[in-house]
């Protein structure tokens, strides 16, 4: 984070302030659907913040759709081709970016129909979810959450990175998943998400977040 100053805030207030900031957001490409990323490791729980913002937008009369990137993981036969703990595969090959482009971002491009698929694959059952398509009305927000989102050149109009220090990331990541930690070091080195994102939220202490306003 360098010299960036962070201010303490509550999660509730953070959700409200982010929603207020998004209300006037106009996509640069002319799309009627603002596309927002909540980027962070699973231990940082970026999906919780996405849900808070969705609720804050709802009470302000703006529709949104929260999409979990984990619903677009590749099948296990592809994901685990090089073993269950291959760090390079986890970083580069687990997320089905093609499916996200096709089923989520494509329909939200200028001239799209707003008909998106909330999820495609269940990594637990390793089967297609068969979730029906949903229609996001013009002016509705896509709120996508998951890890490594800022390295794929997705057409994002605003991004939030939920940051954990290396120590907090290790503490809050279940021990069986510690093999994934080097991937986050690579992400930090190659993408520098704290410098790339529009807003950074530090969540080392989940009870007391701080943000860069």
């Amino acid at each position: 984070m360098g010299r960036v100053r962070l201010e303490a805030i509550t999660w509730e207030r953070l959700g409200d302030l982010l929603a207020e900031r998004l209300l006037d957001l106009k996509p640069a490409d002319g799309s009627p659907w603002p596309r927002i990323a909540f980027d962070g490791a699973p231990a940082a729980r970026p999906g919780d913040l996405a849900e808070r913002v969705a609720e804050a937008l709802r009470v302000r009369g703006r529709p949104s759709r929260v999409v979990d990137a984990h619903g677009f993981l590749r099948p296990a036969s592809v994901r685990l081709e090089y073993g269950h703990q291959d760090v390079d595969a986890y970083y580069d090959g687990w997320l089905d970016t093609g499916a996200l482009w096709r089923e989520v971002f494509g329909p939200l491009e200028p001239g799209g129909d707003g008909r998106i698929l909330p999820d495609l694959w269940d990594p637990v059952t390793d089967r297609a979810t068969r979730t029906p398509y949903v229609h996001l009305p013009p002016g509705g927000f896509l709120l996508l959450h998951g890890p490594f989102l800022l390295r794929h050149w997705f057409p994002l109009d605003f991004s939030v990175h939920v940051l954990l220090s290396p120590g907090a990331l290790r503490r809050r990541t279940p021990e069986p998943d510690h093999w994934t930690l080097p991937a986050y070091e690579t992400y930090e080195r190659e993408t520098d998400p704290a410098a790339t994102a529009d807003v950074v939220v530090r969540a080392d202490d989940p009870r007391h977040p701080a943000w860069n306003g």
Side-chain angles (χ1 to χ4, degrees), residues 19-32:
E20 290 289 342
R21 185 173 297 190
L22 295 178
L23 289 179
D24 295 324
L25 182 64
K26 304 295 183 186
D29 63 1
S31 169

PDB file of all heavy atoms in Angstrom, residues 19-32:
ATOM      1  N   ALA A  19     -21.968   2.052  -2.571  1.00  0.00           N
ATOM      2  CA  ALA A  19     -23.191   2.138  -3.367  1.00  0.00           C
ATOM      3  C   ALA A  19     -23.432   3.567  -3.839  1.00  0.00           C
ATOM      4  O   ALA A  19     -23.782   3.800  -5.010  1.00  0.00           O
ATOM      5  CB  ALA A  19     -24.383   1.627  -2.565  1.00  0.00           C
ATOM      6  N   GLU A  20     -23.241   4.533  -2.966  1.00  0.00           N
ATOM      7  CA  GLU A  20     -23.415   5.937  -3.350  1.00  0.00           C
ATOM      8  C   GLU A  20     -22.454   6.321  -4.471  1.00  0.00           C
ATOM      9  O   GLU A  20     -22.819   7.040  -5.402  1.00  0.00           O
ATOM     10  CB  GLU A  20     -23.195   6.847  -2.140  1.00  0.00           C
ATOM     11  CG  GLU A  20     -24.290   6.769  -1.085  1.00  0.00           C
ATOM     12  CD  GLU A  20     -25.595   7.402  -1.554  1.00  0.00           C
ATOM     13  OE1 GLU A  20     -25.562   8.191  -2.523  1.00  0.00           O
ATOM     14  OE2 GLU A  20     -26.643   7.099  -0.945  1.00  0.00           O
ATOM     15  N   ARG A  21     -21.239   5.823  -4.375  1.00  0.00           N
ATOM     16  CA  ARG A  21     -20.256   6.148  -5.402  1.00  0.00           C
ATOM     17  C   ARG A  21     -20.630   5.528  -6.746  1.00  0.00           C
ATOM     18  O   ARG A  21     -20.363   6.106  -7.807  1.00  0.00           O
ATOM     19  CB  ARG A  21     -18.870   5.672  -4.975  1.00  0.00           C
ATOM     20  CG  ARG A  21     -17.767   6.069  -5.932  1.00  0.00           C
ATOM     21  CD  ARG A  21     -16.395   5.734  -5.410  1.00  0.00           C
ATOM     22  NE  ARG A  21     -16.066   6.464  -4.196  1.00  0.00           N
ATOM     23  CZ  ARG A  21     -14.841   6.484  -3.657  1.00  0.00           C
ATOM     24  NH1 ARG A  21     -13.851   5.821  -4.230  1.00  0.00           N
ATOM     25  NH2 ARG A  21     -14.613   7.166  -2.549  1.00  0.00           N
ATOM     26  N   LEU A  22     -21.254   4.370  -6.707  1.00  0.00           N
ATOM     27  CA  LEU A  22     -21.582   3.676  -7.949  1.00  0.00           C
ATOM     28  C   LEU A  22     -22.809   4.254  -8.653  1.00  0.00           C
ATOM     29  O   LEU A  22     -22.978   4.048  -9.865  1.00  0.00           O
ATOM     30  CB  LEU A  22     -21.829   2.190  -7.665  1.00  0.00           C
ATOM     31  CG  LEU A  22     -20.624   1.386  -7.165  1.00  0.00           C
ATOM     32  CD1 LEU A  22     -21.043  -0.051  -6.879  1.00  0.00           C
ATOM     33  CD2 LEU A  22     -19.484   1.431  -8.155  1.00  0.00           C
ATOM     34  N   LEU A  23     -23.657   4.952  -7.943  1.00  0.00           N
ATOM     35  CA  LEU A  23     -24.929   5.389  -8.517  1.00  0.00           C
ATOM     36  C   LEU A  23     -24.756   6.208  -9.788  1.00  0.00           C
ATOM     37  O   LEU A  23     -25.548   6.087 -10.721  1.00  0.00           O
ATOM     38  CB  LEU A  23     -25.719   6.199  -7.476  1.00  0.00           C
ATOM     39  CG  LEU A  23     -26.300   5.415  -6.309  1.00  0.00           C
ATOM     40  CD1 LEU A  23     -27.026   6.349  -5.346  1.00  0.00           C
ATOM     41  CD2 LEU A  23     -27.245   4.315  -6.795  1.00  0.00           C
ATOM     42  N   ASP A  24     -23.728   7.021  -9.858  1.00  0.00           N
ATOM     43  CA  ASP A  24     -23.525   7.891 -11.013  1.00  0.00           C
ATOM     44  C   ASP A  24     -22.466   7.355 -11.971  1.00  0.00           C
ATOM     45  O   ASP A  24     -22.037   8.071 -12.883  1.00  0.00           O
ATOM     46  CB  ASP A  24     -23.127   9.299 -10.551  1.00  0.00           C
ATOM     47  CG  ASP A  24     -24.234   9.983  -9.767  1.00  0.00           C
ATOM     48  OD1 ASP A  24     -25.412   9.777 -10.101  1.00  0.00           O
ATOM     49  OD2 ASP A  24     -23.922  10.719  -8.808  1.00  0.00           O
ATOM     50  N   LEU A  25     -22.071   6.102 -11.786  1.00  0.00           N
ATOM     51  CA  LEU A  25     -21.030   5.530 -12.625  1.00  0.00           C
ATOM     52  C   LEU A  25     -21.543   5.295 -14.042  1.00  0.00           C
ATOM     53  O   LEU A  25     -22.583   4.657 -14.246  1.00  0.00           O
ATOM     54  CB  LEU A  25     -20.553   4.210 -12.020  1.00  0.00           C
ATOM     55  CG  LEU A  25     -19.423   3.482 -12.732  1.00  0.00           C
ATOM     56  CD1 LEU A  25     -18.147   4.306 -12.702  1.00  0.00           C
ATOM     57  CD2 LEU A  25     -19.189   2.117 -12.083  1.00  0.00           C
ATOM     58  N   LYS A  26     -20.821   5.783 -15.037  1.00  0.00           N
ATOM     59  CA  LYS A  26     -21.176   5.602 -16.435  1.00  0.00           C
ATOM     60  C   LYS A  26     -20.071   4.808 -17.130  1.00  0.00           C
ATOM     61  O   LYS A  26     -18.934   5.278 -17.210  1.00  0.00           O
ATOM     62  CB  LYS A  26     -21.342   6.953 -17.135  1.00  0.00           C
ATOM     63  CG  LYS A  26     -22.352   7.887 -16.472  1.00  0.00           C
ATOM     64  CD  LYS A  26     -23.755   7.333 -16.541  1.00  0.00           C
ATOM     65  CE  LYS A  26     -24.754   8.321 -15.932  1.00  0.00           C
ATOM     66  NZ  LYS A  26     -26.126   7.755 -15.849  1.00  0.00           N
ATOM     67  N   PRO A  27     -20.373   3.609 -17.612  1.00  0.00           N
ATOM     68  CA  PRO A  27     -19.341   2.829 -18.307  1.00  0.00           C
ATOM     69  C   PRO A  27     -18.748   3.599 -19.479  1.00  0.00           C
ATOM     70  O   PRO A  27     -19.470   4.220 -20.264  1.00  0.00           O
ATOM     71  CB  PRO A  27     -20.107   1.589 -18.780  1.00  0.00           C
ATOM     72  CG  PRO A  27     -21.232   1.443 -17.785  1.00  0.00           C
ATOM     73  CD  PRO A  27     -21.628   2.856 -17.467  1.00  0.00           C
ATOM     74  N   ALA A  28     -17.427   3.534 -19.586  1.00  0.00           N
ATOM     75  CA  ALA A  28     -16.732   4.294 -20.626  1.00  0.00           C
ATOM     76  C   ALA A  28     -17.073   3.801 -22.025  1.00  0.00           C
ATOM     77  O   ALA A  28     -16.990   4.569 -22.988  1.00  0.00           O
ATOM     78  CB  ALA A  28     -15.223   4.217 -20.386  1.00  0.00           C
ATOM     79  N   ASP A  29     -17.446   2.519 -22.152  1.00  0.00           N
ATOM     80  CA  ASP A  29     -17.727   1.979 -23.489  1.00  0.00           C
ATOM     81  C   ASP A  29     -19.180   2.174 -23.912  1.00  0.00           C
ATOM     82  O   ASP A  29     -19.588   1.694 -24.969  1.00  0.00           O
ATOM     83  CB  ASP A  29     -17.357   0.498 -23.570  1.00  0.00           C
ATOM     84  CG  ASP A  29     -18.184  -0.384 -22.634  1.00  0.00           C
ATOM     85  OD1 ASP A  29     -19.063   0.142 -21.917  1.00  0.00           O
ATOM     86  OD2 ASP A  29     -17.950  -1.612 -22.615  1.00  0.00           O
ATOM     87  N   GLY A  30     -19.965   2.871 -23.100  1.00  0.00           N
ATOM     88  CA  GLY A  30     -21.356   3.132 -23.458  1.00  0.00           C
ATOM     89  C   GLY A  30     -22.326   2.045 -23.063  1.00  0.00           C
ATOM     90  O   GLY A  30     -23.527   2.153 -23.343  1.00  0.00           O
ATOM     91  N   SER A  31     -21.856   1.003 -22.403  1.00  0.00           N
ATOM     92  CA  SER A  31     -22.755  -0.049 -21.942  1.00  0.00           C
ATOM     93  C   SER A  31     -23.733   0.519 -20.915  1.00  0.00           C
ATOM     94  O   SER A  31     -23.365   1.362 -20.098  1.00  0.00           O
ATOM     95  CB  SER A  31     -21.954  -1.188 -21.314  1.00  0.00           C
ATOM     96  OG  SER A  31     -22.809  -2.096 -20.631  1.00  0.00           O
ATOM     97  N   PRO A  32     -24.976   0.041 -20.912  1.00  0.00           N
ATOM     98  CA  PRO A  32     -25.921   0.484 -19.880  1.00  0.00           C
ATOM     99  C   PRO A  32     -25.794  -0.289 -18.575  1.00  0.00           C
ATOM    100  O   PRO A  32     -26.561  -0.053 -17.646  1.00  0.00           O
ATOM    101  CB  PRO A  32     -27.284   0.244 -20.530  1.00  0.00           C
ATOM    102  CG  PRO A  32     -27.069  -0.900 -21.453  1.00  0.00           C
ATOM    103  CD  PRO A  32     -25.655  -0.755 -21.966  1.00  0.00           C
TER     104      PRO A  32
END
